[in-house]
Amino acid sequence: MDSFAIVCDSSHDLPPYISEKLRLTVVPYSINFGVDSSIDDGVMSPEEFAELLDRYEKGKGYPTTAAPAPSRFVEAFKANVKKGLSRILTVTVSGRLSKTYESAVQAADMVKEEYPDSEIEVVDSLSGSMAEGMLVLEAARVRDLGRPLHEAKRLLEEMRGRVRLLAALETTKYLVKSGRARSFQHMLSTALRIKPVITAREGAIALYSRVRGRMERAVDHMVDEVQRTYKSGIVAVVEGIAPDLREMIVHKLCQRLGINREQIVEAQMTSALLVHLGRRTVGVVWEEEEPQPS
């Protein structure tokens, strides 16, 4: 039996075949279409969901996303405890981006009160998407080595400061629709043909740079930064629904880093992220070189 169970929210963006292989318990976000209709993140394929988004984009009531309620985490924790996995490591999207971390902590306290022998630890990834996914991969590696729960938590909290995420957006209009950016910022970016590159900084999404021109220039800009700070191991590439952009960045990473495609985890954004970022988004996640002692 595993030394501990791993629970995470659906924004980790790991491909389904990896999630299944790692034996994850995934707690989904809710995607709301008005006040009367909602679906769980991951129920629809990215392509099906993107078609649905297109229909809503042309009308009123653009979808919103909601963090999992504590009750969803309680359900996930109890399911593992009842299977004999009373030690649980939970990894969530940044607490500065969502109430998911708060929900998981509340749920952990509730379950530990009902099951006093259980041990439930919650790690804030301080990021999201495949940056969260990289921590989940590390959690599974440590678990499969038979290491204890407290050691896994410590290693993830150390690693999260080294995991970098950059993402290039072809347009900011989805950020405007979802309330994450102002309309004048979108108009300015469109007029100047600017492709924003965003990053996670201290748990919040921040503008990393503005690249004028085509998306290829933004991709080159991201690959430059990966090459400058890449340590070793896997690299993750995540797309909205933009296989051409994914192929472009994968090819450049293999060339510039001297790695094989097998060292790259290729993933698609979850539906909850598509709501905010849109189809034509591509990102890269990697573990950077540790700072050298002075």
Side-chain angles (χ1 to χ4, degrees):
M1 181 176 288
D2 292 331
S3 55
F4 55 84
I6 300 173
V7 174
C8 54
D9 61 71
S10 59
S11 70
H12 60 74
D13 281 349
L14 287 165
Y17 77 92
I18 293 182
S19 293
E20 293 173 10
K21 182 179 179 181
L22 299 184
R23 304 180 297 285
L24 307 178
T25 302
V26 179
V27 179
Y29 281 77
S30 294
I31 301 171
N32 303 314
F33 298 88
V35 296
D36 299 321
S37 177
S38 67
I39 61 172
D40 282 347
D41 191 13
V43 168
M44 303 176 73
S45 72
E47 292 77 14
E48 291 172 330
F49 185 76
E51 290 179 7
L52 187 61
L53 270 187
D54 289 343
R55 294 203 296 271
Y56 273 88
E57 184 182 345
K58 295 171 184 175
K60 295 182 179 180
Y62 191 73
T64 59
T65 58
S71 60
R72 301 296 294 265
F73 280 102
V74 167
E75 181 182 339
F77 295 156
K78 283 187 175 182
N80 280 288
V81 171
K82 290 175 181 178
K83 289 189 296 185
L85 291 167
S86 59
R87 296 179 179 85
I88 301 170
L89 180 62
T90 307
V91 185
T92 75
V93 69
S94 171
R96 293 186 64 184
L97 300 176
S98 165
K99 292 186 179 295
T100 305
Y101 173 77
E102 183 180 325
S103 288
V105 171
Q106 290 178 13
D109 290 340
M110 294 164 66
V111 172
K112 285 188 285 187
E113 185 173 336
E114 184 174 350
Y115 297 91
D117 292 335
S118 64
E119 296 178 45
I120 306 174
E121 299 287 356
V122 184
V123 175
D124 183 338
S125 71
L126 299 181
S127 192
S129 185
M130 272 300 303
E132 178 186 342
M134 293 276 266
L135 295 187
V136 173
L137 286 171
E138 177 65 7
R141 185 190 71 83
V142 175
R143 177 201 62 193
D144 293 346
L145 289 174
R147 307 308 300 166
L149 176 62
H150 67 86
E151 181 178 337
K153 181 185 181 185
R154 176 181 60 80
L155 289 172
L156 263 59
E157 289 177 338
E158 292 174 357
M159 180 182 177
R160 67 187 177 185
R162 301 191 302 270
V163 175
R164 296 281 306 280
L165 177 150
L166 292 176
L169 285 61
E170 189 164 79
T171 176
T172 56
K173 71 177 180 180
Y174 298 101
L175 288 173
V176 173
K177 284 180 174 292
S178 64
R180 300 299 175 104
R182 297 178 181 177
S183 58
F184 77 87
Q185 294 172 318
H186 167 60
M187 289 187 290
L188 184 63
S189 294
T190 302
L192 298 178
R193 298 180 63 231
I194 289 173
K195 304 296 184 283
V197 177
I198 59 175
T199 188
R201 185 175 296 143
E202 297 180 351
I205 294 300
L207 180 66
Y208 178 76
S209 62
R210 298 179 179 89
V211 180
R212 294 189 68 172
R214 299 166 61 88
M215 279 291 282
E216 185 170 3
R217 293 191 64 189
V219 167
D220 281 332
H221 187 60
M222 293 192 295
V223 173
D224 286 343
E225 180 62 11
V226 179
Q227 185 178 26
R228 187 180 70 83
T229 63
Y230 173 68
K231 178 185 176 184
S232 61
I234 65 169
V235 177
V237 169
V238 60
E239 57 163 310
I241 304 177
D244 58 320
L245 297 178
R246 183 193 70 229
E247 286 297 322
M248 180 191 300
I249 194 168
V250 166
H251 177 71
K252 290 176 183 290
L253 287 168
C254 289
Q255 278 193 325
R256 301 271 291 277
L257 301 182
I259 60 176
N260 299 318
R261 190 160 190 158
E262 290 73 23
Q263 291 174 262
I264 299 176
V265 176
E266 300 176 43
Q268 280 191 302
M269 292 188 309
T270 182
S271 298
L273 277 177
L274 276 176
V275 169
H276 301 295
L277 301 180
R279 295 171 179 251
R280 302 286 295 169
T281 298
V282 66
V284 59
V285 177
W286 73 102
E287 186 176 355
E288 69 178 355
E289 189 74 50
E290 293 187 59
Q292 297 298 313
S294 56

